[in-house]
Amino acid sequence: MESVLPGEGRLAPRSWWDSDAPSLLLDGSWKFHFSPDAAGLTIGFEEPGHDDAEWDLLPVPSVWQLAGLPAKPRYSPPAYTNVIYPFPVDPPHVPDANPTGEYRVSFDGPEGWPAGRRVLRFEGVDSHATVWLNGVLLGWSTGSRLAAEFDVTDVLRPGENVLAVRVRQWSAASYLEDQDMWWVSGIFRSVSLLCRPAGAPSDVFVHADFEAATGTGVLTVDATDAAGSPVAGRLDFPDLGLAGADAAVAHPLPGVRPWTAETPVLYDGTLTSDTEVITLRVGFRRVELRDGLLQVNGVPLLLRGVNRHEWDPETGRTISLETMRQDIALMKQHNINAVRTSHYPPDRRFLDLCDEWGLWVIDECDLETHGFFLNEWRNNPSDEPMWQPALLDRMQRTVERDKNHPSIILWSLGNESGVGRNLSAMARWVKSRDSSRLVHYEGDWDSGDVDVYSRMYADVPEVEQIGLLTESAAATDELDAHRRSLPFLLCEYAHAMGNGPGGLTEYQDLFDAHPRLQGGFVWEWLDQAITARNADGDDYFAYGGDFGEPVHDGNFITDGLLFPDRTPSPGLLEFKKVIAPVKLTIDPQTRAVRIDNRHDFLDTSGFTLDWLLEDSGARVDSGTMAMPLLAAGESATVGWPAELTAAAALLPAGTTPPGTHGERWISVTARLAADQPWATAGHEIAWQQAQVEFPAGPDRRLAAPSSARQSRHGSIGPVTIDPRTGLLAAVGDLAVHDARVTLWRAPTDNDHGIPHTERDTGKSMDTRWRAMGLHRLQHKLIDLEVGDQEITSTYHVGPAGSDQRAVVAYRWTSAEPDEAHLAMKVDPPAGWPVLPRVGLALELPGRLQHLDWFGLGPGEAYPDTTTAVRVGRFASDLAGLQTPYVFPQENGNRRSVRWASLTDSGAGILLIGDPLIDVTVRPWSSAALAEARHPDELTPDGFVHLDIDAAVGGVGTAACGPGVLPAYEITGPVTLQLRLRLVGADEG
């Protein structure tokens, strides 16, 4: 287990295929014995006659760390680290306390199989497996996410056979698998017994080239035996006109339909040898580096991608086919066209689905040595000669298994493994074996061994420089010239941890503007949490440290666009909107819509357009409009249909909320015209809104109700001001328990991160906010003036121990008896950092459980995550206003609110922005939100906590990337202006 070799006794790696050769799936309940160290290992367990009656049963495939959950781990617990190894860095040695699982399963030897070789195949075992069949040692293997096969022809026998496997969690190979994921172990992918008929190929390599200029495909299939010699085979592809064709001959095929992620055309056929019929699914396409760009079929790509770890909150690394389908369907539904298999080859069935449904794939080798970074890369396996066989083995097994998938366009050498001669050797081998794809690796910024310049988390200004070819030079002139000839990819960007990612639009604008910038991959697809159970018996999602790990990286594992149960997060909805492949631009002045087809290959024949006209969020009319037929990259402008033009000119039929002006908005939506495997007809692809001016007409304010309250000393309209404090005390009979300026928020994961601009100081925004005491402000009333129609108060607001303070002035006035107007000016001192928010925080009675608003919605939004929300009228109870991030943090802001009513059975208060406000409503305080570590720790405190903000700061991606862009920061004086009324029959 401490050998740096990749294994012994295995067969050479090969591609996977389906055929008529028989096989036996060995998945199911296996006997299992666990030992925390070598002292507890079972002597002789591999012998067929060993008594395992007292052993446990464990499913195969599965990981043993999740057995017993959600209640309690039955064996060793799961552990999460991002970079740091959970054991001393002493390669190739591993701890004596090495959790080990011993597996046994009995099966009957197959009967009636044709003559030939019998092969035992493991799809994935973490991290070191030693294998016996009927007491005979077959060998051992490492490379957890890679297939391993053993020849069992001479060991397999009729009747009962006993397969025994000893799996160690730690091995020398663990130094190569430090991949920002849960450390979990076991036989986690399928195990099968295969028949390889005599005379059948040992390997098959499909070459399906496409010449875009002529529309001609060229099909060749290399079938070889174990020695690499050709094996005769015949091709039958009815749709290609091939019948009994020689597989080894290049077959030109005019008029084939090429494979792309947008048009995933596969041709079904067979390769027949004397003893086997192999099923093939072939996609014709050509991947090349041409004119400095990554091109497929002669077209430069724009990758709108995600990084995907394989994970399920209940089964861990064992993923069902149904879950894979769900993942790809969700990707396609949200306009994602590419996936990087971070940081290892996925279950082979996932790639089958990428071929079938259409995704561009970067297939990554099972390699990461990131933990050596913490030791200044000393003894890094990427550059140590003794590790070269293991690294080459991993690359070879990646390529050989997956080489027949048309969806794969780049091979990736691995992730965050520094630099070194072994990576160069891997790149050379890949290029010698498969020249039909490009090579990727991010860790060497000079890019000498690769075909794309790849980076992680470069900020917007640097990405723009790269797009303009004005970035910093590489180490040598030769390397610099080479790198400037390459396309650029952000293999990781927009870290989707918690509330965010912010700033997606700015990146996409650069991708659209500069051809060299060929897109990127958001980190990452899914929150990798684990379903666990608390002391009260309630399930929650656990992250690093929740299982008592002495070394862990907390909730850094929950950084996905999907919540752990695969519910889309607000970040995924934002990403979908930003990367929409159809761009719609509405011009109300010319009564026209511009349609830009931003697909790389697909025309617009598969989409429809519809329109919706709303007044103040109420539907006026709707209909359809003609979608012009546009080839990929084309644009056109179409006029509004007559019925839309007529509807837009109508006077509003209804009324607007008290004291507000109405707004008329048109929305245009592009939808699927027909069912697809991943979505049904009518699925929304893209949308856009534009405001339409009302025709000239009377002011549509409503008159003040006749039941208006009389002004009195200390009151302005419906509000009562405490004469001692100058603070809002009540709205009508509705008590206000607290009402103070707020300049702080419960920190987001990005607020906890350190922005690039602060890397030298080591200070996160949360650290800076807390250092300034924004979470513990105290108020000193400086001046209070109470009149019949105006109340003004001025405060110094600052933290204990500091002479830095903001000046806050409130001015309450009323022009109507039942309405109060507030102008609150906040002037922060020059020494304070940019602020997370500026607004008024109210504590209201807990019975107010319903929010109705007109503004952006339906979901949350912040200044740099506003693309996916639209103007409309929305409603929700308090529970629906909370976003359940795995780690509790600031959430739920409703942005650009024109008016909002917070009520109980229709009675409550109405807020009217002057002109716009942001609104957040919670059943707990921001302080409680900041203290909680899991959502189940949040308990309603009997109040409704209402934040009314004049300004809200952006969220950025500083959890692992750039901070908030300057355009979304709050600096300088801010004024909140709003009007406040009672609503409901009882006026409160």
Side-chain angles (χ1 to χ4, degrees):
M1 66 182 173
E2 292 188 339
S3 171
V4 298
L5 295 176
E8 293 181 342
R10 293 185 324 223
L11 294 171
R14 64 181 181 91
S15 60
W16 173 261
W17 59 77
D18 292 319
S19 79
D20 64 351
S23 63
L24 177 65
L25 187 65
L26 299 180
D27 293 357
S29 292
W30 290 29
K31 290 298 186 74
F32 181 76
H33 172 261
F34 174 76
S35 175
D37 51 40
L41 299 183
T42 307
I43 304 301
F45 91 103
E46 70 276 8
E47 296 300 328
H50 179 79
D51 183 5
D52 58 14
E54 299 301 317
W55 283 26
D56 295 337
L57 290 175
L58 188 70
V60 169
S62 72
V63 292
W64 72 64
Q65 285 86 352
L66 269 61
L69 291 174
K72 182 181 180 182
R74 189 180 305 157
Y75 308 112
S76 56
Y80 164 64
T81 65
N82 171 29
V83 178
I84 188 171
Y85 287 104
F87 46 79
V89 179
D90 184 21
H93 304 300
V94 295
D96 293 335
N98 191 353
T100 301
E102 295 170 331
Y103 294 78
R104 286 169 55 91
V105 68
S106 298
F107 62 93
D108 290 334
E111 298 180 2
W113 282 16
R117 189 168 55 177
R118 310 299 186 241
V119 173
L120 180 66
R121 181 180 179 90
F122 293 86
E123 300 284 353
V125 185
D126 187 302
S127 74
H128 183 289
T130 308
V131 185
W132 295 262
L133 182 61
N134 297 325
V136 177
L137 177 64
L138 302 178
W140 59 272
S141 182
T142 60
S144 299
R145 270 64 64 179
L146 300 162
E149 292 185 334
F150 299 89
D151 189 336
V152 297
T153 308
D154 298 331
V155 183
L156 191 69
R157 61 195 184 195
E160 184 181 32
N161 291 262
V162 177
L163 174 61
V165 186
R166 177 173 283 149
V167 179
R168 292 179 172 88
Q169 178 165 11
W170 307 127
S171 67
S174 300
Y175 287 102
L176 307 180
E177 297 177 0
D178 184 26
Q179 290 146 320
D180 187 10
M181 61 188 182
W182 290 97
W183 295 93
V184 290
S185 312
I187 305 173
F188 66 92
R189 289 182 185 161
S190 288
V191 183
S192 55
L193 181 68
L194 310 176
C195 174
R196 300 303 311 127
S202 290
D203 193 21
V204 171
F205 196 167
V206 176
H207 306 276
D209 192 20
F210 179 73
E211 174 54 61
T214 64
T216 300
V218 180
L219 178 62
T220 309
V221 178
D222 295 333
T224 54
D225 62 18
S229 299
V231 173
R234 303 179 303 280
L235 294 178
D236 291 280
F237 281 82
D239 292 340
L240 294 174
L242 292 179
D246 186 346
V249 174
H251 297 281
L253 301 165
V256 301
R257 298 171 60 203
W259 189 98
T260 76
E262 296 170 4
T263 57
V265 177
L266 295 173
Y267 290 92
D268 294 330
T270 57
L271 168 68
T272 303
S273 66
D274 291 340
T275 54
E276 184 182 28
V277 178
I278 294 172
T279 300
L280 299 177
R281 305 197 79 186
V282 173
F284 291 89
R285 52 102 182 102
R286 178 181 293 178
V287 182
E288 56 188 336
L289 177 60
R290 186 201 298 179
D291 300 328
L293 299 176
L294 164 62
Q295 300 194 26
V296 175
N297 303 336
V299 176
L301 300 184
L302 182 57
L303 301 180
R304 305 172 175 95
V306 292
N307 288 273
R308 176 185 177 266
H309 266 294
E310 290 195 317
W311 193 255
D312 183 281
E314 297 183 358
T315 60
R317 205 164 300 289
T318 301
I319 307 294
S320 69
L321 184 60
E322 292 72 23
T323 298
M324 296 177 211
R325 287 197 181 101
Q326 182 183 10
D327 277 350
I328 295 182
L330 284 168
M331 290 178 190
K332 299 285 287 187
Q333 289 166 14
H334 291 86
N335 297 328
I336 290 162
N337 71 358
V339 61
R340 176 177 174 229
T341 68
S342 52
H343 298 293
Y344 42 79
D347 187 301
R348 57 180 174 79
R349 297 171 296 172
F350 180 80
L351 296 175
D352 290 339
L353 291 170
C354 291
D355 293 341
E356 181 179 347
W357 288 5
L359 285 173
W360 306 114
V361 176
I362 298 181
D363 195 6
E364 195 146 85
C365 183
D366 191 3
L367 174 64
E368 181 170 336
T369 65
H370 202 177
F372 284 87
F373 166 77
L374 300 178
N375 296 283
E376 300 178 339
W377 295 111
R378 290 188 300 273
N379 302 313
N380 180 18
S382 295
D383 198 42
E384 293 291 331
M386 70 176 182
W387 289 95
Q388 187 170 118
L391 270 65
L392 279 173
D393 171 81
R394 287 169 180 256
M395 194 73 246
Q396 291 162 1
R397 288 158 71 189
T398 298
V399 171
E400 298 297 358
R401 189 197 72 167
D402 296 343
K403 58 182 178 279
N404 293 331
H405 289 282
S407 56
I408 297 171
I409 57 174
L410 291 97
W411 300 115
S412 180
L413 305 180
N415 183 67
E416 293 178 320
S417 295
V419 297
R421 69 196 81 182
N422 298 336
L423 293 166
S424 299
M426 294 165 68
R428 289 194 298 271
W429 181 88
V430 173
K431 293 179 179 182
S432 68
R433 178 57 171 155
D434 179 21
S435 61
S436 70
R437 297 175 174 94
L438 306 187
V439 175
H440 168 273
Y441 178 67
E442 184 273 340
D444 183 359
W445 292 1
D446 285 340
S447 306
D449 294 320
V450 296
D451 302 309
V452 295
Y453 177 26
S454 180
R455 289 284 303 279
M456 296 180 181
Y457 307 109
D459 60 22
V460 166
E462 184 181 6
V463 172
E464 183 175 27
Q465 290 177 346
I466 294 169
L468 294 169
L469 290 170
T470 60
E471 74 271 21
S472 300
T476 68
D477 290 344
E478 182 180 4
L479 286 171
D480 191 61
H482 169 69
R483 196 182 68 189
R484 291 181 194 277
S485 72
L486 302 180
F488 178 76
L489 292 178
L490 278 168
C491 69
E492 295 180 20
Y493 82 115
H495 193 260
M497 186 175 179
N499 190 339
L504 287 170
T505 299
E506 285 74 13
Y507 280 108
Q508 198 64 34
D509 288 346
L510 290 176
F511 299 159
D512 291 337
H514 303 289
R516 187 191 187 194
L517 308 178
Q518 293 197 250
F521 297 77
V522 169
W523 184 269
E524 64 172 306
W525 177 236
L526 175 74
D527 283 344
Q528 294 178 67
I530 293 175
T531 303
R533 187 163 294 157
N534 64 22
D536 295 328
D538 298 322
D539 289 353
Y540 70 100
F541 290 120
Y543 48 75
D546 285 338
F547 298 99
E549 309 100 298
V551 176
H552 64 84
D553 284 302
N555 68 310
F556 205 70
I557 193 70
T558 56
D559 47 11
L561 292 169
L562 293 180
F563 292 123
D565 62 359
R566 285 179 160 77
T567 299
S569 73
L572 180 56
L573 302 180
E574 179 81 358
F575 191 44
K576 173 186 177 180
K577 181 64 164 60
V578 168
I579 64 174
V582 176
K583 181 181 179 182
L584 303 170
T585 307
I586 306 169
D587 186 344
Q589 300 301 317
T590 62
R591 299 294 194 263
V593 179
R594 177 184 169 92
I595 300 102
D596 293 279
N597 183 8
R598 301 199 293 182
H599 287 94
D600 294 323
F601 299 92
L602 196 64
D603 65 33
T604 56
S605 60
F607 305 104
T608 62
L609 285 178
D610 59 47
W611 57 268
L612 171 66
L613 189 67
E614 296 174 293
D615 281 346
S616 300
R619 178 187 174 278
V620 174
D621 203 354
S622 62
T624 62
M625 56 196 308
M627 169 68 86
L629 181 60
L630 301 174
E634 289 186 343
S635 302
T637 299
V638 297
W640 291 2
E643 57 269 31
L644 171 56
T645 301
L650 293 175
L651 286 171
T655 59
T656 57
T660 68
H661 289 284
E663 298 179 24
R664 177 168 291 177
W665 287 82
I666 177 177
S667 301
V668 178
T669 305
R671 303 183 187 274
L672 284 180
D675 290 349
Q676 297 293 330
W678 43 271
T680 58
H683 169 75
E684 177 188 280
I685 296 295
W687 61 269
Q688 193 54 267
Q689 279 188 313
Q691 188 171 2
V692 184
E693 294 297 327
F694 277 109
D699 187 347
R700 287 167 293 105
R701 285 179 182 265
L702 294 188
S706 59
S707 58
R709 298 163 56 94
Q710 296 298 316
S711 299
R712 64 181 186 274
H713 190 71
S715 297
I716 295 292
V719 308
T720 300
I721 305 301
D722 188 319
R724 297 172 297 110
T725 65
L727 298 176
L728 176 65
V731 182
D733 295 327
L734 187 72
V736 177
H737 300 277
D738 198 7
R740 298 175 189 268
V741 66
T742 178
L743 307 178
W744 183 74
R745 69 186 180 201
T748 67
D749 286 313
N750 289 311
D751 294 338
H752 287 300
I754 301 175
H756 286 173
T757 55
E758 298 294 329
R759 290 291 156 88
D760 292 339
T761 68
K763 292 181 179 180
S764 68
M765 291 310 301
D766 176 50
T767 299
R768 299 179 69 190
W769 293 335
R770 289 181 183 274
M772 292 308 304
L774 296 186
H775 61 303
R776 52 181 179 85
L777 297 176
Q778 298 183 27
H779 296 66
K780 171 61 180 177
L781 178 62
I782 299 301
D783 183 61
L784 175 62
E785 297 181 8
V786 179
D788 289 339
Q789 297 297 324
E790 179 176 323
I791 299 177
T792 60
S793 54
T794 304
Y795 301 81
H796 286 175
V797 177
S802 173
D803 62 356
Q804 297 288 301
R805 60 185 178 270
V807 177
V808 180
Y810 299 81
R811 180 172 179 263
W812 290 94
T813 58
S814 179
E816 300 180 20
D818 78 326
E819 179 180 289
H821 181 273
L822 169 65
M824 183 185 78
K825 184 179 180 182
V826 180
D827 195 354
W832 280 12
V834 296
L835 300 174
R837 68 164 10 116
V838 176
L840 182 66
L842 307 181
E843 282 187 10
L844 301 171
R847 68 177 185 272
L848 302 177
Q849 290 286 308
H850 185 85
L851 186 72
D852 189 29
W853 77 98
F854 177 50
L856 291 176
E860 71 179 24
Y862 292 80
D864 51 356
T865 61
T866 306
T867 307
V869 287
R870 63 191 79 198
V871 176
R873 180 167 178 172
F874 308 99
S876 176
D877 60 14
L878 255 63
L881 295 170
Q882 316 308 311
T883 304
Y885 294 112
V886 175
F887 187 93
Q889 58 197 273
E890 164 66 33
N891 72 90
N893 183 66
R894 267 53 185 184
R895 187 155 174 76
S896 299
V897 173
R898 282 71 166 164
W899 60 261
S901 62
L902 183 60
T903 60
D904 169 29
S905 301
I909 59 173
L910 174 69
L911 311 171
I912 304 167
D914 191 6
L916 302 174
I917 53 177
D918 281 17
V919 173
T920 308
V921 189
R922 299 191 185 96
W924 40 70
S925 67
S926 291
L929 188 61
E931 290 298 317
R933 293 297 175 263
H934 297 91
D936 60 298
E937 299 169 17
L938 289 166
T939 304
D941 60 12
F943 296 102
V944 167
H945 299 266
L946 171 63
D947 286 316
I948 311 165
D949 292 312
V952 172
V955 292
T957 62
C960 186
V964 177
L965 290 168
Y968 307 119
E969 294 180 334
I970 304 173
T971 58
V974 175
T975 298
L976 170 68
Q977 296 197 90
L978 65 95
R979 289 176 283 151
L980 195 151
R981 286 190 176 197
L982 285 169
V983 293
D986 297 330
E987 296 276 295

